[in-house]
Amino acid sequence: IIQSALFVFRFRENKGTTNNHYMSNLLFITVAAEIFDICDFRDFAQFEFERELNKQVYRDGTVFEASTYYHRLTLEIVFFTILFKVKMNIASEGGVNYSDVTRFYSRATLISLYKMFLFIRYSIKDNGELPIVGDNDSGQILKVYNEEVLDVRYLLSLGSFFFKKDLFIFGELFAHPLTGLISESPAKITRNKYNLRRFNRRFRDSGWLVVRDNDIFLFITAGKNGQAGKGGHAHNDKTSYILTRGDEDIVLAGGTYCYTCSDEIRRANRSNVNHNVVSILINKKVLEQSDLSKGNFVLDENCNSQIDSVLKNDRAIVVECSHACYESHTGKRHNRIFYLDKESRKLTVTDSTYQDFPIINNVVMNSGSVDRLSVDTKYRKESYQYSEIYFCHKKCKRIQFEDTKYDIQL
C-alpha cells in the first residue's frame, strides 16, 4: 500500500485542469496516510482535498464536470475520503456522523458534502436513477451490493445515516450494507416532512432544473460545459431535457457508449442529434452547438446557456431557457419554452424560429412512448440506440422534424 501511495503521489494527476482523477489520487493518499500515520501525506492530502473540493464543486452543490453521473462518482470520492479520515481518528461505539467532520475539515467542506447529497435527493427519478446528462462511464468507488449501475438510492441511504436526516423523496428509508461504516440508528433520523413530488429545484451554477408535478419528472439542462472551460465530459445538450412519468421513461438522453475506442462514436454521442435539441443546418449539415473536432475530451465554453425564468401556478409550470451557440450565424440567442399544463397533463415545447436557416428538431424517445408525441408537420421516425451505461446499447426511437413546436401527452 505504501509503495502504491508513493507511486500515486509521484504521478498524481494534478497537471492542467484537475478533476475527479486527482480527487481519486487524494482519496488513496488519505487512506495510506491514516493507516500508516504518514504525517507529510496527511497534511498534503487534507490541504489539497479541501482546495480541490472548493474548485470542483459549485456553490449549489453540483460538480463542475457537467455530468450527473460524474457528480455521483465525485460524491463517492468526497464522502469516503471524509468518512475514512473520521473513522480512523475517532473511536465511537455509536458510530460517526456529520458532527465529527469539523474536527478535521472546515465547515465549508461539510456544507459542500451536504449540498452534493441534496442534488441526488432532488434529482432522483422514481426508479431510483438519475437523469443522464453528459458522460457516464459507470464508475464507482465502492460497490459491495448488487444494485443496478444507475441506481443511486444507496447514496441517499448513506447521506441519511450520516447527516441524521431523511433524504428520501419516496419510499422507506433502508439500511444499505455500506451504512454499517457509519453505524447510526435509523430511529435517530429526522423524517422528511416535505412533499417533494410537487417541488422544483434550480441549480443555478450548473444550469440544471428539476421540475416535478406528482409523478411527472422533467429535468432541463441549460448550463456550462464544465471543467473550468475544458468541457471534457460535456455534450451538446443545451436546452435538452429528460422526461419521465412514474417508472416510464418518455424522452431519453442518448447517453455515452464509449470514450476512446472510436472517435466517430464518441463524436456521435456528444452531438446535437443525440440529444433533444433544435439544430440549424449550414449547407445541409448540422451546426453543432460546440465544435466537436477539437478533441474527444474538449468542448469549448461558447454557449452561454442558461435557465432564464421559471413560473409556477395552479394550472401550469413555465420554463424559459436559452443559449448563444448559433448566435454567430443567426444574430440572436436560441430560446426554448417548456409549458407543462397540469390540467391537461401535457408538455408543450416551443423553440425560436429561423427564416434564413432550415432546422432539425430532434427527440429521442422510448419506443413505447412515441404515440405521446404530437407535431403539426411530417416527421421521420427511425430506429435508434441509446446508452444508459458504458458499452451497452438499448433500442429506442429518434423523431426528427422541421417544426419548432410540439406536444407530449402525459
Side-chain angles (χ1 to χ4, degrees), residues 326-342:
Y326 311 143
E327 191 170 10
S328 62
H329 291 80
T330 65
K332 65 178 184 180
R333 292 179 64 83
H334 181 85
N335 296 293
R336 168 169 275 191
I337 299 175
F338 296 88
Y339 187 94
L340 178 60
D341 191 313
K342 298 181 182 181

Side-chain angles (χ1 to χ4, degrees), residues 198-251:
R198 300 185 66 85
F199 201 95
N200 300 333
R201 186 73 173 191
R202 183 175 178 179
F203 297 91
R204 294 179 181 273
D205 296 318
S206 59
W208 294 340
L209 175 70
V210 179
V211 176
R212 293 182 186 272
D213 187 63
N214 293 319
D215 61 344
I216 296 173
F217 173 91
L218 173 64
F219 190 97
I220 300 169
T221 174
K224 305 172 184 177
N225 282 333
Q227 289 187 340
K230 183 180 179 182
H233 292 304
H235 290 195
N236 283 341
D237 58 3
K238 308 304 170 282
T239 71
S240 188
Y241 67 103
I242 291 94
L243 177 66
T244 70
R245 181 177 179 183
D247 290 334
E248 179 188 358
D249 289 321
I250 299 173
V251 177

Side-chain angles (χ1 to χ4, degrees), residues 76-226:
E76 283 196 6
I77 295 170
V78 171
F79 178 71
F80 289 122
T81 300
I82 292 174
L83 183 64
F84 189 85
K85 185 176 185 67
V86 173
K87 289 281 288 185
M88 288 294 292
N89 287 278
I90 293 179
S92 173
E93 295 181 359
V96 298
N97 58 64
Y98 71 96
S99 63
D100 302 309
V101 173
T102 51
R103 293 176 57 179
F104 307 97
Y105 295 102
S106 69
R107 181 171 175 78
T109 292
L110 180 63
I111 292 172
S112 291
L113 176 62
Y114 184 64
K115 287 182 176 180
M116 293 174 78
F117 276 113
L118 281 183
F119 171 76
I120 303 294
R121 175 193 190 184
Y122 289 117
S123 303
I124 193 171
K125 300 188 295 182
D126 279 9
N127 61 3
E129 300 173 357
L130 293 175
I132 297 175
V133 175
D135 282 342
N136 175 25
D137 70 354
S138 309
Q140 292 182 248
I141 296 300
L142 285 179
K143 186 173 175 63
V144 298
Y145 188 67
N146 192 31
E147 65 253 330
E148 296 294 328
V149 173
L150 297 177
D151 195 329
V152 296
R153 283 174 291 184
Y154 70 96
L155 287 173
L156 296 184
S157 184
L158 291 173
S160 296
F161 278 66
F162 190 73
F163 285 100
K164 296 185 179 181
K165 290 186 178 181
D166 178 10
L167 297 179
F168 280 78
I169 295 175
F170 52 86
E172 291 297 321
L173 183 69
F174 68 96
H176 186 278
L178 285 176
T179 58
L181 297 173
I182 304 169
S183 302
E184 183 54 76
S185 170
K188 297 180 181 180
I189 293 175
T190 303
R191 304 303 298 182
N192 176 20
K193 298 179 181 179
Y194 304 102
N195 179 12
L196 295 180
R197 284 184 174 275
R198 300 185 66 85
F199 201 95
N200 300 333
R201 186 73 173 191
R202 183 175 178 179
F203 297 91
R204 294 179 181 273
D205 296 318
S206 59
W208 294 340
L209 175 70
V210 179
V211 176
R212 293 182 186 272
D213 187 63
N214 293 319
D215 61 344
I216 296 173
F217 173 91
L218 173 64
F219 190 97
I220 300 169
T221 174
K224 305 172 184 177
N225 282 333

